Amino acid sequence: MMGSDFAPLSELQGVADFAKKHKSAKDTEFFFIGDEEIINKHLPTFDFTGVKYSIVHADQVVSMDDDASVALKQKKNSSIAIGVQMQKEGKVDAFLSAGNTGAMLSTSTVLLGRIAGVSRPTIGTFFPSLNINPTLILDAGANVDSKAKFLYEFAVMGSLYFKEMFGVENPKVALLNIGEEASKGNELALETYKLLKGSNLNFIGNVEGRDIFVGKADVIVCDGFTGNILLKFAESIMGFFKATFRNYAKRSFFKKLRVGLFAPTLKDIFKDFDYQEHGGVPMLGVNGVIIIGHGSSSGLAVENMIKRSIEIISKDLNKKIENELKK
Amino acid sequence: MMGSDFAPLSELQGVADFAKKHKSAKDTEFFFIGDEEIINKHLPTFDFTGVKYSIVHADQVVSMDDDASVALKQKKNSSIAIGVQMQKEGKVDAFLSAGNTGAMLSTSTVLLGRIAGVSRPTIGTFFPSLNINPTLILDAGANVDSKAKFLYEFAVMGSLYFKEMFGVENPKVALLNIGEEASKGNELALETYKLLKGSNLNFIGNVEGRDIFVGKADVIVCDGFTGNILLKFAESIMGFFKATFRNYAKRSFFKKLRVGLFAPTLKDIFKDFDYQEHGGVPMLGVNGVIIIGHGSSSGLAVENMIKRSIEIISKDLNKKIENELKK
């Protein structure tokens, strides 16, 4: 309840909207983890008729500026620490938060442990593409110094996740690289290429930066350093264009008019860039279901995070990952 | 003359336009290196009145698909091999090509050698930003496996180049990373941070992917793997938006009309994304002046490549690099 920029409003809104729209909500039990007083203050704003929920008080909050290890070491009563602990004890089937990503990652990894066969848990991110489905890029920043083996595991987990999410039977998996040929890339890419080539994934080879938006692949693997820089750069595109449009509009009355008239269309067109739509992403590879949302998550994003977590649970994604990595 | 997608038209157009606009063109002597027959066929299309030029026949061409070592080993009569050789022998002060970047890099490095103190030559690329000047990001792909020392040298060369190009006294230099704090990043970034911090560059610290378009720094260093992926991704943004606009326009007559009415404005606004404007980039660190243009270079891009090469020569950039790295 304390994670998003508008906490707990986005969180409560997301639950309320989910409950309104989905019949399965009747079988879902919610635990609102966070400051009891704050949550109670905002509860009456939303309609929770027929929703099974209870409040779990947490008197600490991991802030966005806190170090990743804070929830584990100093703030054991934070909503993140309590949530992951409840997941560990089996009190909940999934834990969702739009809070501090680093803290979510480290707390989950340490408390829940890894799925058998997984070297490093990972988080991915969805990029819009000219395909029907967005493209899943992983690792998006969980592992800055990666080995080829890690990237291979990311590919396996990403492929299974993509399949379950979008019903694509054999997701096209690619390696992010600086050229299409197998001989291109840095040491990590060269080694990863060989592993992917020899796997039973639907590996389509290397893709370059320019192939991401085109949607050449469903799942693209890269090290977390590259992935994180790419993700943050991509997230800044809309802001850059908006600023560019604003500067243009300032130049003359007619230019302002033109931009003003087109603004609703632009908004409509750029909707794909709105990561709210996709909601959060799961932390793949941990022994549990952990969904991480963007700090700026809206009610819609939280609603989608809930849907996502239920899909992952009902499709038993973690078991599938374990089985696939056993091969 | 054989490098661009429209060779030799863009090349000839660029020279003709440069000569028309700049008085210094009278002191400039041009050597058109390429297939004599093809060049002669197209020469009459352009006005070369008062331009000093001669044709240097090259009966081979390094294609875009050729391996980087081809010009050195198999195509010694290619325009790239001949051009770099002429530069080496002092017959020309600069060699410009919009051809195969890999071949330009390897041929220049081997034939010309490096400036004293330079471990690895590099190429940079300009990103548009909300600042007056674009942002120089380097390395853009010349060195996929880099060491901290290389990145430090890239920063020195990039800073000197930026200063000479835009008259900025102490360009703001930053390290591309996944967080602002000195403790963030992969091993390479951590080590590079220390070197930059201890240098006499105007090092402003780490910047993230989202800071590029904002223009937080004038010069941003990263390894060539990350830089190349980022560059190609950025180059694909416009194409993605155009396709998105086209798809939107297809949905209804009114939507088509709206996009159609706004198209000229969009074109105007997105001009910054046109790398034609910046022309090519120099290969920094080699013993010579080598300018590499984009394959899709227009006449305007070639014209700017010529301007750029003259600035580099007249400001004796390579000597300045040598002196700075000596410190």
Side-chain angles (χ1 to χ4, degrees):
Chain A
M1 283 293 134
M2 315 308 286
S4 80
D5 297 347
F6 317 103
L9 296 177
S10 297
E11 283 81 352
L12 292 171
Q13 176 87 60
V15 175
D17 288 349
F18 173 80
K20 208 176 295 164
K21 291 183 205 163
H22 299 87
K23 284 184 188 164
S24 60
K26 279 178 201 149
D27 308 320
T28 311
E29 196 179 341
F30 293 94
F31 296 86
F32 297 162
I33 313 172
D35 188 301
E36 200 167 8
E37 201 177 325
I38 296 176
I39 297 170
N40 272 321
K41 199 181 109 189
H42 291 286
L43 267 179
T45 319
F46 304 92
D47 178 14
F48 285 112
T49 319
V51 181
K52 276 180 274 182
Y53 73 86
S54 48
I55 296 172
V56 178
H57 180 61
D59 58 22
Q60 289 177 315
V61 174
V62 176
S63 81
M64 285 299 183
D65 303 322
D66 274 336
D67 206 66
S69 61
V70 151
L72 270 171
K73 293 177 183 166
Q74 290 151 42
K75 296 188 176 174
K76 294 189 178 176
N77 282 325
S78 64
S79 39
I80 287 183
I82 292 174
V84 178
Q85 187 62 35
M86 285 178 75
Q87 164 80 111
K88 182 188 164 104
E89 292 167 8
K91 290 180 182 165
V92 295
D93 294 307
F95 173 56
L96 292 63
S97 168
N100 185 313
T101 303
M104 286 285 282
L105 287 174
S106 60
T107 311
S108 305
T109 307
V110 173
L111 291 188
L112 303 176
R114 290 165 276 140
I115 295 171
V118 172
S119 309
R120 294 282 187 284
T122 178
I123 46 165
T125 182
F126 283 107
F127 274 60
S129 89
L130 296 175
N131 274 344
I132 301 166
N133 300 316
T135 301
L136 176 64
I137 300 192
L138 71 181
D139 182 71
N143 304 280
V144 289
D145 285 302
S146 289
K147 289 180 183 168
K149 187 170 178 280
F150 303 170
L151 267 68
Y152 159 71
E153 292 169 12
F154 300 164
V156 169
M157 293 190 276
S159 177
L160 284 167
Y161 175 54
F162 195 93
K163 180 183 165 185
E164 297 302 340
M165 280 305 106
F166 301 106
V168 173
E169 201 42 51
N170 281 303
K172 287 184 278 185
V173 175
L175 174 65
L176 190 59
N177 208 331
I178 61 162
E180 284 184 4
E181 306 86 342
S183 61
K184 286 288 174 80
N186 56 13
E187 282 172 34
L188 177 65
L190 292 171
E191 218 183 308
T192 307
Y193 187 96
K194 283 180 213 155
L195 282 184
L196 292 172
K197 191 80 190 165
S199 74
N200 49 22
L201 290 162
N202 180 13
F203 180 56
I204 61 162
N206 292 328
V207 294
E208 300 182 66
R210 66 167 69 100
D211 302 318
I212 297 171
F213 278 146
V214 178
K216 259 198 186 174
D218 296 315
V219 178
I220 298 177
V221 285
C222 63
D223 66 278
F225 187 82
T226 309
N228 188 268
I229 284 169
L230 202 57
L231 162 65
K232 286 178 181 160
F233 178 67
E235 281 183 356
S236 78
I237 295 173
M238 289 313 302
F240 176 65
F241 279 130
K242 279 180 194 161
T244 307
F245 279 110
R246 266 198 303 274
N247 290 342
Y248 180 84
K250 276 182 199 155
R251 287 194 227 153
S252 79
F253 173 73
F254 275 108
K255 285 180 170 147
K256 192 174 174 177
L257 193 69
R258 273 199 210 151
V259 170
L261 284 173
F262 199 62
T265 309
L266 277 177
K267 214 172 169 181
D268 201 10
I269 291 176
F270 288 160
K271 215 175 52 196
D272 265 356
F273 261 82
D274 191 357
Y275 30 88
Q276 308 289 0
E277 302 269 337
H278 301 303
V281 284
M283 191 173 166
L284 296 167
V286 289
N287 248 329
V289 178
I290 299 289
I291 308 280
I292 301 170
H294 202 278
S296 64
S297 288
S298 63
L300 176 62
V302 173
E303 184 189 334
N304 284 333
M305 283 164 73
I306 299 170
K307 277 197 262 180
R308 192 142 292 183
S309 68
I310 292 175
E311 283 171 333
I312 291 174
I313 298 163
S314 62
K315 287 172 177 169
D316 211 356
L317 181 67
N318 287 357
K319 193 72 208 164
K320 285 174 182 159
I321 289 174
E322 190 180 337
N323 289 342
E324 190 59 35
L325 287 176
K326 240 183 227 161
K327 288 180 189 171
Chain B
M1 283 292 136
M2 315 307 287
S4 80
D5 297 345
F6 318 102
L9 296 176
S10 296
E11 283 82 352
L12 292 171
Q13 177 86 59
V15 175
D17 288 349
F18 173 81
K20 208 177 293 164
K21 292 184 204 161
H22 300 86
K23 283 183 187 165
S24 60
K26 281 178 197 147
D27 308 320
T28 311
E29 196 178 341
F30 293 95
F31 296 87
F32 297 162
I33 313 173
D35 187 302
E36 200 167 9
E37 202 176 323
I38 295 175
I39 297 170
N40 272 321
K41 200 182 108 190
H42 291 286
L43 266 180
T45 320
F46 304 93
D47 178 14
F48 285 112
T49 319
V51 181
K52 277 181 272 182
Y53 72 86
S54 47
I55 296 171
V56 178
H57 180 62
D59 58 22
Q60 289 177 314
V61 174
V62 177
S63 80
M64 285 299 182
D65 303 320
D66 275 336
D67 205 67
S69 61
V70 151
L72 270 171
K73 292 177 185 167
Q74 290 151 41
K75 296 187 176 175
K76 294 190 177 174
N77 283 325
S78 64
S79 40
I80 287 182
I82 292 174
V84 178
Q85 188 62 35
M86 285 178 75
Q87 164 81 110
K88 182 187 165 109
E89 291 167 8
K91 289 180 181 166
V92 295
D93 294 307
F95 174 55
L96 293 61
S97 169
N100 185 312
T101 304
M104 285 285 282
L105 287 174
S106 60
T107 312
S108 304
T109 308
V110 173
L111 291 187
L112 302 175
R114 289 166 277 142
I115 296 171
V118 172
S119 308
R120 294 283 186 283
T122 178
I123 46 165
T125 182
F126 283 108
F127 274 58
S129 88
L130 296 174
N131 274 344
I132 301 165
N133 301 315
T135 301
L136 177 65
I137 298 191
L138 71 181
D139 183 72
N143 304 281
V144 289
D145 286 300
S146 289
K147 289 180 182 169
K149 187 170 180 280
F150 304 170
L151 266 69
Y152 159 70
E153 292 170 11
F154 300 163
V156 169
M157 293 191 277
S159 176
L160 284 167
Y161 176 55
F162 195 93
K163 179 183 166 185
E164 297 302 340
M165 279 306 105
F166 301 106
V168 173
E169 202 43 52
N170 281 303
K172 287 184 277 183
V173 175
L175 174 65
L176 189 60
N177 208 330
I178 60 162
E180 285 185 3
E181 307 86 342
S183 62
K184 285 288 174 80
N186 57 12
E187 283 173 32
L188 177 65
L190 292 170
E191 218 183 307
T192 307
Y193 187 96
K194 283 180 211 153
L195 281 184
L196 292 172
K197 191 79 191 164
S199 74
N200 50 22
L201 290 163
N202 180 14
F203 179 56
I204 62 161
N206 291 330
V207 293
E208 300 183 65
R210 67 168 70 100
D211 303 319
I212 297 171
F213 278 147
V214 178
K216 259 198 186 175
D218 296 315
V219 177
I220 297 178
V221 286
C222 62
D223 67 279
F225 187 82
T226 309
N228 189 268
I229 284 168
L230 202 57
L231 162 64
K232 286 178 182 160
F233 178 67
E235 281 183 357
S236 77
I237 296 173
M238 289 312 302
F240 176 65
F241 279 130
K242 279 179 194 161
T244 306
F245 280 111
R246 266 197 305 273
N247 290 342
Y248 180 82
K250 276 182 200 155
R251 286 194 226 152
S252 79
F253 173 73
F254 276 108
K255 283 178 172 149
K256 192 174 176 177
L257 192 70
R258 273 199 212 153
V259 170
L261 284 172
F262 198 63
T265 310
L266 277 177
K267 213 171 170 182
D268 200 11
I269 291 176
F270 288 159
K271 215 175 52 196
D272 265 357
F273 260 83
D274 190 357
Y275 30 90
Q276 308 290 1
E277 301 270 337
H278 300 302
V281 284
M283 191 173 165
L284 296 167
V286 289
N287 248 329
V289 178
I290 300 289
I291 308 279
I292 301 170
H294 201 278
S296 65
S297 289
S298 63
L300 176 62
V302 173
E303 184 190 334
N304 284 334
M305 283 165 73
I306 300 170
K307 277 197 261 180
R308 192 142 291 184
S309 68
I310 292 174
E311 283 171 333
I312 291 174
I313 299 162
S314 62
K315 287 172 177 169
D316 211 354
L317 180 67
N318 287 357
K319 194 74 208 162
K320 285 174 182 158
I321 289 174
E322 189 181 337
N323 289 341
E324 190 59 36
L325 287 176
K326 239 183 228 161
K327 285 179 189 169

